[in-house]
Amino acid sequence: MIDTTPRFTVDGTRTAPTNWDSPDMRKRIARRYAAERRFKYLGMGAVILSAAFLAFLLYVMIGNGLSGFQRTEVALDVDFPALTGGTGAAALTGPSAENTAASLDLPGVVSVAVEAQYGETEVPIFSSGAWQIVQKRLLEDPALIEARQTMWLPASSELDIAAKEGGSAQAERLLAALRAGDAVQTGFNSSFLTGSDATDPAQAGIWSAFKGSLMTMLVTVILAFPIGVLAALYLEEYAPKNRWTDLIEVSINNLAAVPSIIFGLLGLVVFLNWFNMPRSAAIVGGLTLALMTMPIIVIAGRNAIKSVPPSIREAALGIGASPIQVVFHHVLPLALPGILTGTIIGMARALGETAPLLLIGMRAFIPTPPGGLTDPSTVLPVQIYLWSDEVNRGFVEKTSAAIIVLLLFLLSMNALAIYLRNKFETRW
Amino acid sequence: MAGAGLLFLVLGLGLIAWITGRARAAAFVKADRTNLNSLPSYHGWYMALFAVVPPLLFLAVWGAIVPALQTDMVLSAPAAQALPMDGFARASILSEARAIASGAQDTAFQPMAEQFVPLYRAAIAHYNWIAVAATVLLLFAGGTYAFTRLKPDFRARTKVERVVMGALLTASLIAIVTTIGIVASLIFETVRFFQMVNPIEFLFGATWNPQSTVTPGGDNGFGAIPLFWGTVFIGAIIAMIVAIPLGLMSAVYLTQYARPAVRKWMKPILEILAGVPTVVYGYFAALTIAPALRDFAAAVGIPGASSESALAAGVVMGVMIIPFVSSMADDSIAAVPNSMRDGSLAMGSTKSETIKKVLIPAALPGVVGGVLLAVSRAIGETMIVVMAAGLTANMTANPFASVTTVTVQIVQLLTGDQEFDSPKTLAAFALGLVLFIVTLLLNLVALRVVKRYREAYE
């Protein structure tokens, strides 16, 4: 139906009414609707593209890294009675077992056994750490030494790569020969989770880096959590409105936005040069990360404290509690779930941090797990960075596997934060 | 470890002081049948604080001065005459002897250190006894003093609360101390750098090729302009070309178009992008994106393609920033009053017209503030560029070429041999100071813009 009511323009002249059914108008509306759809698809495309990037990243990491949890093993016949001069099982029990095992010259035993079974090969068959596994198995079960054994030992890095993704021609030939003799199997790479950094990718593991991460995080949380919570309480509950308080607020907001590498420079100058603390130590890393995490905890804590309704405070004051009692007996317990959520998120960020720790020297080669807070140590992200720089191709899968472990950890921390928030959050 | 044992001793005795104080207060009630001014536990806390705080302060000071005292004692022994006069050799022998004596090290690399080990053992034992005696004495003196002050009408709560208040204030002052620490340490080292290298050359020079030796007046290769350009090119140009459209459009779609179920799932998924550690992004860029881009450039025939390209680092950094831009845009769009949106829709404009012509212009200051914050984050980002952007200082606008950034050079200069008297090492602090000032300014401007704009609609 055509609208026939007269229209007026601003200066009062009459115009013909807009004919919405005219082809021009229809075309115009169609064009506007098409633009609307395009815009919507553009938005959808942006979301999908971002999500696709995340999916691609995870796909690449998992695709590269899953094989890092597996290792290729090759069978080896070890004629223990002949090679160890008939050492009895009794010698490998009791307190002197370690010494006896050391005196057996197991590296020599293994290489003689390899020589006997496979002869000279173009590429080494076994990882140079294979004898350690023999030693471990002997100590666990001394009876093994009294007979000839077939042991499955980790293959060398070249052979491992050849088995997983194809390697050099020599390694491929050797692998085919071994496969023909049914002497190859794939097993779970337990030494990746329990071992330490090594120059041979077949032996490299993440345990020492992981332990370093745990110790660093321990220092961080012990320092940053109490200080952050106390500062948040002060600023939100007691601080008078004056220039000092403003200064504190500005510096906290600013610290939360300072690039992390600046904290590394601070740690290098203040902790290492001025206070002479040990280089590469977990305690310095923890201190540096605590300074970085504290502002995040303060900001999250203030939001949590702010959301506790004033009626709680007024009721407590009304029945005679002192201001300190009001806060510590009532406000803090109610705000704690929110504060904890913020703390876990801040800790997750600190756990993935690399740059400041590089500057304070936590990038050393750490072949044994650190024993204490002042021992040289490294952390998981730095270990990932160090491995990513290795030329040896065997480290590609190790790097990705370490990334999988790190991401799993971060994911579970964030899941814990979300769980805490959903379970304990009170909506007033 | 003597320190930890002593600490546990102090805390254990502190617990006993707490129990004693509380029991004393409870005894008042029983004996006199009077009301206490403060609850018994506050009496306990009062006593525990007096017992624990002085020894802890003492131990903190002691820990700082005792190594010097021990060394003095070792040096006063006759065997010290044999030490070399050279200060550095002397110090290294002594520190090795100390490490062996305290059990941190097993064997000596310097034969001379061996004979000082027993001397150090004796000195450590000697001063340990002094420390234990002084700590226990202080603890009992403080505890006894507090014990004598406990009376039924003693205002223990007020005193304890004053201490708690002091602790709260101290905790919040740590933020200021940290800021001062950052500024002081950066300026301190930068001033030393500028004593060797002309600041004008550093800020406006165009060649970056740092060396350990400096010739006065000459071009020493400390011109940071190529680094500033690389930082801006990667962080403020390439990354933002990726992050702004994707972040803004994601925010628009998720807030204006998506069904609640989609929004509920997609928003956290996008936020995972911000939670992935930067070292993972860096590895991803170096392993996957950079070789792909290099091959692409080679296939298309772009000259100067490198396996460490500005584009690879910039694109990955942009993806990392997406959630950041998206949440800032989300907040700004949500802050636009509904009446403006409703008015536009009532005039017959479509949703996209409303968004493009009303919501986004109205939210623009907030979006711009968010972008500034994103830029400040991108230029301070380290690991992605360290792993994917390269080390050669190039002044090029070719995104497939390798450029270097301020953060890459900081890491590069400080992870080799550190000599704090060489301009090569100190240059890192000058770069750090520039980075700190620029990010600080960006943040202040961004926060002011966002705040102004919020006020405009409130």
Side-chain angles (χ1 to χ4, degrees), chain B residues 141-407:
Chain B
T144 318
Y145 170 74
F147 189 76
T148 55
R149 302 232 9 219
L150 300 185
K151 303 259 163 34
D153 60 349
F154 180 64
R155 296 171 175 270
R157 199 200 70 204
T158 331
K159 308 260 191 235
V160 171
E161 287 189 347
R162 206 170 288 159
V163 175
V164 173
M165 212 58 189
L168 289 175
L169 184 62
T170 317
S172 51
L173 286 179
I174 287 183
I176 292 190
V177 173
T178 311
T179 310
I180 294 174
I182 290 178
V183 174
S185 57
L186 289 180
I187 287 182
F188 182 75
E189 305 290 345
T190 306
V191 166
R192 285 177 61 196
F193 174 66
F194 283 151
Q195 282 164 359
M196 303 180 211
V197 174
N198 188 350
I200 308 284
E201 187 205 328
F202 174 72
L203 287 175
F204 301 107
T207 46
W208 178 263
N209 184 23
Q211 291 122 25
S212 299
T213 49
V214 165
T215 49
D219 182 9
N220 296 308
F222 279 107
I225 288 287
L227 309 190
F228 298 152
W229 162 248
T231 309
V232 169
F233 190 42
I234 292 181
I237 299 178
I238 300 178
M240 289 305 131
I241 289 175
V242 174
I244 294 175
L246 284 178
L248 194 58
M249 286 310 291
S250 304
V252 165
Y253 181 77
L254 288 179
T255 53
Q256 307 293 324
Y257 287 104
R259 279 176 289 128
V262 175
R263 181 182 158 81
K264 194 181 152 210
W265 281 99
M266 287 314 289
K267 209 169 178 287
I269 287 179
L270 290 193
E271 259 150 36
I272 294 179
L273 282 174
V276 173
T278 52
V279 67
V280 176
Y281 278 118
Y283 184 59
F284 179 65
L287 181 79
T288 313
I289 306 283
L293 285 174
R294 184 199 52 207
D295 295 345
F296 169 78
V300 176
I302 298 169
S306 152
S307 62
E308 293 173 322
S309 63
L311 193 58
V315 165
V316 173
M317 193 186 280
V319 170
M320 184 189 80
I321 302 282
I322 288 175
F324 198 74
V325 174
S326 157
S327 79
M328 294 299 290
D330 195 342
D331 290 350
S332 329
I333 291 174
V336 176
N338 264 339
S339 54
M340 291 174 78
R341 190 179 145 193
D342 296 347
S344 166
L345 289 173
M347 296 296 288
S349 54
T350 62
K351 235 175 174 176
S352 65
E353 285 161 354
T354 306
I355 293 165
K356 278 188 279 193
K357 296 186 177 146
V358 178
L359 291 187
I360 291 183
L364 200 58
V367 174
V368 169
V371 168
L372 288 182
L373 287 179
V375 169
S376 114
R377 176 164 294 199
I379 64 174
E381 170 46 47
T382 310
M383 290 322 289
I384 296 179
V385 278
V386 164
M387 295 165 84
L391 294 171
T392 39
N394 267 335
M395 288 270 272
T396 172
N398 176 1
F400 292 98
S402 158
V403 298
T404 192
T405 72
V406 171
T407 48

Side-chain angles (χ1 to χ4, degrees), chain A residues 32 36 44 47 53 64 230 234 238 248 251-252 254 257 262 265-266 269 273 279 322 325 388 396 403 410, chain B residues 42 161 165 169 172 175 179 253 257 277 283 287 319 348 350-353 387 414 418 420 429 440 443:
Chain A
R32 286 174 61 201
E36 166 77 20
M44 203 188 275
V47 174
F53 193 93
N64 276 324
L230 291 183
Y234 180 76
Y238 303 111
I248 296 177
S251 43
I252 286 179
N254 178 42
I262 302 282
L265 292 174
L266 168 80
V269 174
N273 281 4
R279 276 180 75 80
S322 73
Q325 287 171 334
S388 77
V396 171
I403 285 177
L410 291 177
Chain B
Y42 281 106
E161 287 189 347
M165 212 58 189
L169 184 62
S172 51
T179 310
Y253 181 77
Y257 287 104
Y283 184 59
L287 181 79
V319 170
T350 62
K351 235 175 174 176
S352 65
E353 285 161 354
M387 295 165 84
L414 286 179
Q418 291 171 6
F420 276 83
F429 293 92
L440 180 67
N443 286 325

Side-chain angles (χ1 to χ4, degrees), chain A residues 207-259:
Chain A
W207 172 241
S208 65
F210 193 76
K211 195 175 171 195
S213 269
L214 288 183
M215 293 195 310
T216 310
M217 287 299 108
L218 186 74
V219 176
T220 304
V221 80
I222 284 177
L223 289 170
F225 181 68
I227 294 177
V229 172
L230 291 183
L233 283 176
Y234 180 76
L235 291 175
E236 205 52 49
E237 295 286 329
Y238 303 111
K241 263 268 155 239
N242 61 26
R243 207 175 291 164
W244 279 104
T245 318
D246 283 348
L247 192 63
I248 296 177
E249 284 198 25
V250 168
S251 43
I252 286 179
N253 288 334
N254 178 42
L255 281 182
V258 165

